[in-house]
Amino acid sequence: MVIFSVYVVNKAGGLIYQYDNYVPRAEVEKTFSYPLDLVLKHHDEKVVVSFGQRDGIRVGHAVLSINGVDVVGKNTSEGKDILEYLKDPSNYPVSIRFGRARLSSNEKLMLASMFHSLFAIGSQLSPEAGSSGIEMLETDVFKLHCFQTLTGIKFIVLADPRQSGIDALLRKIYEIYSDFALKNPFYSLEMPIRCELFDQNLKSALEVAEKAGNFGAGS
Amino acid sequence: MTRRSTPSSEMVANRTTPPLEPSLSIARERAGTGETQMTVHNLYIFDRNGNCLYYNEWNRKKQAGISKDEEYKLMYGMLFSIRSFVSKMSPLDMKEGFLSFQTSRYRLHYYETPSGLKFVMNTDLSVSNARETLQHIYSNLYVELIVKNPVCSSAPSLDSEVFSSRLDAFIRALPYYSPRAA
């Protein structure tokens, strides 16, 4: 029962805080000989598997490292294009590590803004009057909970679907935000939160929530 | 617990009806006592290109304030963005992907077939899992009455009266559907 990450979005939709508590990395490293039986393609400045799923290497997984050396975007660490490198039989046998690509901070910013808009559309398309935006979004591997304060700040928590007590956790994070970010005289509203006490208290609140499985009221 | 006999029971005659989950039977009792207002608001069916093939509403209280065409496009666009958002955000590889979301007043359930057909149903908050319902609508109503219909299949327009009436009867027969008092 895990809490994966926490995002805080300001009222304009910009990401002001992000914390990854637990990032499960399912990575697979294999040695391949020429010719490569996976079909790779460029996608979003990365090289991803588009066909040939096998042995834990799924479609959508990105190339993370070649021969133990991490890749840089579409190129190897030496600056050679990965697809060209893999077309050359003299480079084989080659050991490639595949896995889910980590989100860059730019991508996190974009996703936070995307959610900000989706939240508003969820409220607009409501078949009932007086609906809030999206408060909980469920998939088969995670649940996203969102709490919007009266001032328009959104606290977003991604957790395991079976984790309970997230509502109380969201209120607790709001409390921590008002205590350690808002009361900090050096913090400007709507700006990225860079307050050490906020980080520390957030981490301990997450630990309590995960251990208890159910966040108790009033601590 | 068996369903009330309705036209929809005819078409499931050849299939074993799965027993109602305990949550659904409890839901039916609660709906019967009038304690909770359980209801289905509306249903959309989209094809893989984003065209809305079917829409019907049962208990919709608030219109979106835009024309129906724009609403379909907005709904489809929202779902497309949610799916892309979820696949990027997900910490692990997903099998089924986006299932549902909930706001303070309603819950949207989503089911996508491998052929790209999307079923979207808005219900009130007490319905926790409508995936089986949507799967039933796909396999027992859509496939039986539209796909297997030689007239409908060539241009998938859901201009089938049989489909509309069976679907309407099916929704009204759901244990969590209860017509609101005006």
Side-chain angles (χ1 to χ4, degrees):
Chain A
M1 296 259 273
V2 178
I3 296 172
F4 296 115
S5 35
V6 177
Y7 292 72
V8 182
V9 179
N10 68 15
K11 64 171 181 273
L15 185 65
I16 57 176
Y17 185 78
Q18 199 278 318
Y19 175 63
D20 283 327
N21 188 37
Y22 175 75
V23 181
R25 287 285 133 203
E27 289 165 5
V28 178
E29 181 144 25
K30 278 200 156 28
T31 314
F32 297 91
S33 54
Y34 190 80
L36 198 60
D37 55 354
L38 300 162
V39 176
L40 302 174
K41 66 166 185 176
H42 285 304
H43 180 71
D44 269 358
E45 292 303 313
K46 290 189 284 270
V47 177
V48 299
V49 176
S50 93
F51 188 79
Q53 187 163 295
R54 68 163 173 113
D55 289 343
I57 301 172
R58 309 258 317 252
V59 168
H61 278 193
V63 172
L64 299 174
S65 76
I66 292 187
N67 290 331
V69 181
D70 283 343
V71 304
V72 178
K74 298 192 285 207
N75 304 328
T76 65
S77 53
E78 285 127 33
K80 281 198 292 222
D81 183 72
I82 293 175
L83 295 180
E84 291 302 316
Y85 182 85
L86 292 173
K87 283 204 184 93
D88 186 354
S90 63
N91 291 320
Y92 287 81
V94 68
S95 158
I96 312 178
R97 184 153 52 98
F98 291 95
R100 276 191 77 83
R102 214 149 297 196
L103 287 174
S104 69
S105 39
N106 248 0
E107 286 181 324
K108 287 179 187 167
L109 272 163
M110 288 196 288
L111 289 173
S113 311
M114 198 190 274
F115 183 75
H116 174 84
S117 317
L118 294 171
F119 183 92
I121 298 176
S123 149
Q124 187 186 0
L125 287 175
S126 166
E128 283 230 46
S131 169
S132 73
I134 298 177
E135 290 186 341
M136 197 273 291
L137 192 141
E138 183 167 5
T139 73
D140 51 351
V141 296
F142 73 93
K143 249 193 201 171
L144 180 148
H145 302 255
C146 177
F147 169 55
Q148 179 174 55
T149 70
L150 294 164
T151 49
I153 305 279
K154 290 194 233 326
F155 296 96
I156 299 165
V157 168
L158 265 75
D160 189 283
R162 293 152 299 165
Q163 180 84 31
S164 60
I166 300 285
D167 283 337
L169 175 64
L170 284 167
R171 303 285 181 288
K172 179 71 182 167
I173 297 178
Y174 185 25
E175 207 184 291
I176 295 173
Y177 168 74
S178 63
D179 280 339
F180 300 105
L182 295 182
K183 293 180 188 172
N184 182 337
F186 300 110
Y187 173 68
S188 344
L189 268 178
E190 314 287 314
M191 287 290 122
I193 301 173
R194 302 230 187 287
C195 313
E196 230 182 85
L197 285 175
F198 179 77
D199 294 332
Q200 284 170 12
N201 281 272
L202 179 66
K203 283 184 186 117
S204 48
L206 291 178
E207 271 168 37
V208 172
E210 280 183 321
K211 256 184 225 139
N214 185 356
F215 202 81
S219 42
Chain B
M1 217 172 176
T2 54
R3 291 187 185 221
R4 288 179 267 143
S5 77
T6 61
S8 57
S9 61
E10 295 163 10
M11 69 204 122
V12 300
N14 297 335
R15 285 169 194 79
T16 49
T17 344
L20 279 185
E21 299 163 37
S23 57
L24 289 181
S25 49
I26 293 170
R28 181 130 48 123
E29 283 170 32
R30 285 172 78 199
T33 60
E35 250 176 53
T36 35
Q37 301 272 12
M38 313 187 63
T39 183
V40 175
H41 296 296
N42 49 10
L43 174 78
Y44 303 73
I45 303 182
F46 294 98
D47 73 358
R48 60 194 303 153
N49 299 321
N51 305 314
C52 183
L53 300 175
Y54 182 84
Y55 170 75
N56 201 356
E57 56 187 45
W58 289 271
N59 262 328
R60 186 170 189 165
K61 300 292 199 58
K62 168 189 159 282
Q63 298 300 323
I66 48 181
S67 78
K68 270 292 178 256
D69 277 335
E70 282 180 21
E71 184 188 315
Y72 300 152
K73 281 191 230 168
L74 187 60
M75 174 61 83
Y76 185 81
M78 178 181 76
L79 292 168
F80 187 86
S81 304
I82 289 181
R83 281 176 50 234
S84 146
F85 170 80
V86 156
S87 72
K88 285 233 155 100
M89 274 290 224
S90 175
L92 302 158
D93 293 316
M94 297 189 302
K95 216 161 36 112
E96 287 166 43
F98 168 55
L99 299 172
S100 72
F101 75 67
Q102 124 183 6
T103 75
S104 60
R105 292 265 195 271
Y106 75 99
R107 196 171 187 135
L108 182 143
H109 304 264
Y110 177 78
Y111 173 64
E112 183 175 355
T113 70
S115 55
L117 207 62
K118 299 168 180 50
F119 291 82
V120 183
M121 183 160 75
N122 291 332
T123 67
D124 76 312
L125 293 174
S126 39
V127 183
S128 58
N129 192 340
R131 201 166 170 80
E132 279 181 20
T133 308
L134 292 173
Q135 266 173 326
H136 184 277
I137 294 178
Y138 172 64
S139 45
N140 297 358
L141 291 173
Y142 183 83
V143 167
E144 292 299 313
L145 301 175
I146 305 288
V147 176
K148 292 187 179 174
N149 182 338
V151 174
C152 282
S153 284
S154 50
S157 64
L158 300 196
D159 240 355
S160 162
E161 266 201 44
V162 157
F163 177 76
S164 305
S165 60
R166 291 262 177 99
L167 179 59
D168 189 63
F170 174 72
I171 296 281
R172 287 180 198 275
L174 283 171
Y176 45 79
Y177 177 85
S178 64
R180 296 273 185 102

